Amino acid sequence: MAITASQVNELRKQTGAGMMDCKKALVEADGDMEKAIDFLRKKGQKVAAKRGDNEANEGLIFAESKGDVGYIIKLNCETDFVAKNADFQSFVKSILTVGIENGVDSVDELKKLKYNDKLTVEEKLVEQIGVIGEKLDLSDFAKVSATCVVAYNHPGNQLATLIGLNKEGEEVNDAGRQVAMQVAAMNPVALNKEGISQDVIDNELQVGKDQAIEEGKPADLADKIAQGRLNKFFKENTLLSQAFVRDNKLSVEQFLNSVESGLTVTDFKRFSLS
């Protein structure tokens, strides 16, 4: 049967596939829209199987917050060319929207959700692999809930952060954005020292002790020196103890207290492609 331009356009709207791919799918399906969509999805499965071992180190990260909740997503692709494509950016944001509308907080939950009336998010990803011709990997998704949540998207969308705060208000929002940028720049490993695992602490102490002995320090002082180096590790790697980037005379904790007494960060997320 003859395939009309309107049929091709309709399939393209539904799948994002190219004009020629849509026409071929409709020809194979004798004009049946559902079968054509299934044809494109199977094509995506074939491409996914072929490119399964490929590296997907490029991609996009988006964070979005409103009031007391925020979400952040990372979708990887193979090339920077695809990552910069407007259609791919819209696709990533559409998956983020699905996660927001359903309030999920993990990749596994998100993949199981309905993307539309016909496909789950996971199935839509496979379909898009066929459309784009590259491996796609929905590698991370997270949610932060707090009294106030602030999102920061670094230019280029290869890095984004979410900050949860225990208070709200205009000044709190502004302070939250500054701390969100701090997290982006300084990459803390935990909120405070209580968030550092005992294994990491034990390792840092052992490394510090070994270094002290190698430097010729007396063995009886090695433990004390190692503890001092551990405290430096906490100061440099835990968010509330870090020197505030905009005024390194203050820690982040002191900066927040200067904005409003008792103001603090309750949670944060940082996704990066590098």
Side-chain angles (χ1 to χ4, degrees):
M1 65 176 289
I3 304 301
T4 66
S6 62
Q7 287 176 297
V8 173
N9 284 329
E10 177 60 28
L11 183 57
R12 191 180 186 197
K13 285 180 183 178
Q14 291 194 41
T15 65
M19 296 289 285
M20 295 305 296
D21 284 338
C22 288
K23 185 174 181 179
K24 181 179 179 182
L26 285 163
V27 169
E28 291 287 337
D30 292 325
D32 187 302
M33 192 66 64
E34 297 297 323
K35 289 181 180 178
I37 291 172
D38 191 51
F39 176 87
L40 289 171
R41 184 163 61 86
K42 288 177 180 177
K43 179 188 174 186
Q45 291 171 341
K46 291 178 182 177
V47 175
K50 288 180 181 178
R51 306 188 74 85
D53 292 333
N54 288 25
E55 295 290 334
N57 296 323
E58 299 294 335
L60 290 174
I61 298 169
F62 289 110
E64 187 173 329
S65 64
K66 186 175 182 181
D68 61 356
V69 66
Y71 299 84
I72 185 169
I73 187 172
K74 177 163 69 170
L75 181 60
N76 293 86
C77 58
E78 293 181 37
T79 66
D80 186 50
F81 176 78
V82 166
K84 290 181 177 178
N85 182 276
D87 289 339
F88 181 72
Q89 294 172 12
S90 296
F91 177 57
V92 179
K93 289 179 180 179
S94 72
I95 296 178
L96 176 60
T97 298
V98 171
I100 291 172
E101 290 177 347
N102 289 273
V104 297
D105 56 9
S106 73
V107 169
D108 289 341
E109 288 179 291
L110 180 57
K111 286 181 177 179
K112 293 174 184 176
L113 293 175
K114 283 287 186 181
Y115 180 85
N116 54 31
D117 293 338
K118 302 176 181 67
L119 303 174
T120 64
V121 169
E122 190 165 27
E123 290 168 339
K124 186 66 178 178
L125 283 165
V126 172
E127 179 189 87
Q128 287 299 296
I129 289 171
V131 170
I132 294 169
E134 286 193 6
K135 178 180 179 179
L136 301 180
D137 180 19
L138 181 55
S139 55
D140 227 335
F141 184 85
K143 172 184 175 182
V144 168
S145 298
T147 302
C148 173
V149 181
V150 179
Y152 169 69
N153 290 287
H154 193 68
N157 296 109
Q158 295 192 331
L159 169 64
T161 61
L162 286 174
I163 297 293
L165 299 153
N166 65 337
K167 296 177 182 287
E168 57 186 345
E170 188 173 338
E171 289 189 347
V172 169
N173 267 286
D174 181 64
R177 179 168 175 78
Q178 293 185 60
V179 175
M181 294 173 71
Q182 167 99 18
V183 170
M186 301 305 294
N187 193 18
V189 298
L191 183 61
N192 48 39
K193 66 181 182 180
E194 286 73 26
I196 304 291
S197 72
Q198 190 59 49
D199 286 345
V200 171
I201 291 173
D202 291 343
N203 183 65
E204 289 296 321
L205 284 171
Q206 187 61 53
V207 169
K209 184 176 180 180
D210 291 344
Q211 286 178 342
I213 293 172
E214 287 174 8
E215 291 167 1
K217 301 295 192 296
D220 59 343
L221 292 180
D223 287 335
K224 193 173 196 179
I225 292 169
Q227 186 62 53
R229 287 176 174 169
L230 177 63
N231 291 335
K232 183 181 179 183
F233 172 82
F234 288 147
K235 185 175 181 180
E236 292 177 348
N237 293 281
T238 61
L239 177 60
L240 293 176
S241 297
Q242 282 182 337
F244 182 47
V245 170
R246 293 196 173 186
D247 182 356
N248 59 20
K249 293 179 181 178
L250 299 175
S251 67
V252 171
E253 184 173 35
Q254 290 169 334
F255 160 68
L256 289 170
N257 266 295
S258 73
V259 174
E260 186 173 331
S261 179
L263 176 62
T264 193
V265 176
T266 58
D267 194 10
F268 72 89
K269 300 292 180 184
R270 180 186 188 274
F271 288 178
S272 172
L273 287 173
S274 57

